[in-house]
Amino acid sequence: MSILGRMLFLLCLFLFATMSIVGGFAYFNYRENCRIGELGVQRAALGVAEYAQMFLHTAENSVRQLARAPEIVKAVGSLPPDMGKGARLIGGGEPLSPAAAALRTLLETTLYGNPRALQVGFRDMHGGFLSSPALGVVLAANPGTRPWYAEALRAPAGTVVRTTYLSAPGNVPVFAFSQAVRKDGEPVGVVYMEVPLRAFMQSLAVLSPGTSGVIYVLDKDGVVLAAPAAHESPAQGVGGNAVPPELTDADDGSYYSSIGGVQSFWAVHTDNHGFRYIVVMDAEEMLHDSNMLLLRSCIGAGLVLLIILVAGYAIAGSAVLPLARLESAANAIADGRPDATFPDASEFSGEIRGLRNAMARMLLSQRAALSAAQRAAQQASANEHYALAALRDVSRRHGDCRNKLEALRLAAHDLSAAVENLPDAVDDEDRARRVKEALKASRWFMALAGNSCREEGSPGEPPADAGTSARE
């Protein structure tokens, strides 16, 4: 792998490690903040439930104390009827009995001790009814048919029952706390106290969790008792706002999910009366610090990436690219091209310049060695050419000498034959002819023997003075 490739690999590895560390840190911080958010909203729901219990506990205690008061039992049977015929008024007209008057004083004292209460009253099993403040209008329905009355009679002894409905008169959404009054184990009537839901919701407003947190309170029948900007409308029942179904259908606990398209933390808590307390908080608000940390981490990682890229570019420009140019020059030298262009020394610095100078000296040495080798090769080539020429000349001379020796041998043979034929001459003419042939053969032999391997004369034609030399 090249240096540039290794540098890019190490750069990518470093970036991966950096991003993994930053991403892991941001993820664990985000997860921890989510856990804290879920725990926080769960504690908020518990806090709302405890606050609501404190708010409602005062009314429940007042109802319990009222149910144990002796004035209640004494007033049974002496109360004005709850419904008259025609235009009979409840609590008005006829004077009250001493027992009923004592009960009214007790009711007024109880109402005074609970400033949030709207009404306190008692109805006995004989149809007698008394309330504080006294109702100055005709009742629209028999108190014996109201939810607080029937629920209290069905509940176990000593139990305070919570119900919600629209009060009469006024159709005001209220909490009703009621308890059956018993004598010798038998019910003799029911005491009740009504508290407006508006007072309950106003008290919960001070518990608004965060700037975007909302609180829902539902009774055991799913009726909304408190909700953000709830409307008290008889047409819609108690608490006009609808609760998102994912809140009403969830079990107790904390959650992190989308509510109405907004990512939220929310928790549900149900008390022993079946009332459900739901707290919803905007997750963006709760995770603001975590999101800012994540954003800062991403910005920091981006800056680190930019710095690494700049540093990598600087390293590549100052080291890797010059080394790549030196590599090209070195490859040219290795390929036997010493005349290739070599990078100028001004393009390098530091150790790379020293490496370039060393390679330049090596290139010069190689060029000098190559010049010497070329001269030696040229000299060797010239010597070889001269040796080949000399060899060819020797070979030619050797062939000429061999031919001449063969001709000399033939001439000697002819001379010997001519000399041997002289004695066999028949007459003078024949003898003269034979002498003439012998002289010709001797001149030819003398020419070959005298010239040896020189280029004088021709073997086929003896020299002109060959006869004189032969006679001598």
Side-chain angles (χ1 to χ4, degrees), residues 39-311:
L39 183 61
V41 73
Q42 186 175 11
R43 289 179 176 176
L46 290 174
V48 170
E50 291 174 358
Y51 181 83
Q53 291 296 330
M54 292 175 59
F55 178 87
L56 303 175
H57 188 65
T58 302
E60 290 181 352
N61 283 341
S62 297
V63 171
R64 287 192 181 96
Q65 293 175 5
L66 187 62
R68 291 194 296 265
E71 291 87 350
I72 294 292
V73 178
K74 292 178 181 180
V76 173
S78 62
L79 299 177
D82 54 12
M83 288 290 292
K85 295 181 179 180
R88 184 178 179 85
L89 299 180
I90 300 300
E94 300 179 359
L96 298 176
S97 65
L103 177 58
R104 167 159 291 190
T105 301
L106 177 63
L107 295 177
E108 291 176 348
T109 302
T110 303
L111 184 64
Y112 179 79
N114 293 270
R116 292 191 178 94
L118 180 66
Q119 189 178 118
V120 180
F122 172 70
R123 184 187 188 279
D124 62 17
M125 301 294 292
H126 304 288
F129 178 76
L130 191 64
S131 67
S132 179
L135 298 180
V137 296
V138 178
L139 288 176
N142 188 339
T145 62
R146 301 295 283 170
W148 57 265
Y149 186 82
E151 292 285 340
L153 290 178
R154 288 195 297 266
T159 302
V160 177
V161 178
R162 297 179 189 175
T163 52
T164 54
Y165 52 85
L166 298 176
S167 67
N171 286 335
V172 177
V174 294
F175 268 126
F177 303 89
S178 59
Q179 181 177 343
V181 179
R182 299 177 184 273
K183 181 179 181 182
D184 299 329
E186 296 296 328
V188 295
V190 176
V191 294
Y192 76 98
M193 176 184 290
E194 292 179 347
V195 178
L197 284 180
R198 180 181 296 277
F200 179 65
M201 289 185 289
Q202 289 175 347
S203 64
L204 289 180
V206 300
L207 297 179
S208 180
T211 58
S212 60
V214 294
I215 299 173
Y216 297 92
V217 180
L218 287 72
D219 68 3
K220 60 183 179 180
D221 297 324
V223 177
V224 180
L225 306 180
H231 302 285
E232 300 170 359
S233 171
Q236 296 178 344
V238 180
N241 275 20
V243 182
E246 53 264 39
L247 301 181
T248 57
D249 297 338
D251 297 328
D252 287 7
S254 57
Y255 303 89
Y256 175 45
S257 63
S258 178
I259 302 296
V262 178
Q263 201 68 20
S264 306
F265 289 107
W266 52 285
V268 181
H269 176 73
T270 305
D271 64 8
N272 54 355
H273 290 279
F275 281 45
R276 291 167 62 83
Y277 303 91
I278 306 172
V279 176
V280 181
M281 302 177 69
D282 189 355
E284 183 177 356
E285 177 185 353
M286 298 189 67
L287 297 177
H288 176 73
D289 293 339
S290 177
N291 292 333
M292 291 303 297
L293 177 61
L294 181 60
L295 178 62
R296 288 192 294 268
S297 300
C298 293
I299 294 175
L303 291 177
V304 171
L305 173 62
L306 180 61
I307 292 173
I308 291 176
L309 290 177
V310 172

Side-chain angles (χ1 to χ4, degrees), residues 12 17 323 385 392 410 433:
C12 294
L323 286 176
H385 180 72
R392 286 194 298 271
L410 293 176
R433 184 181 59 78

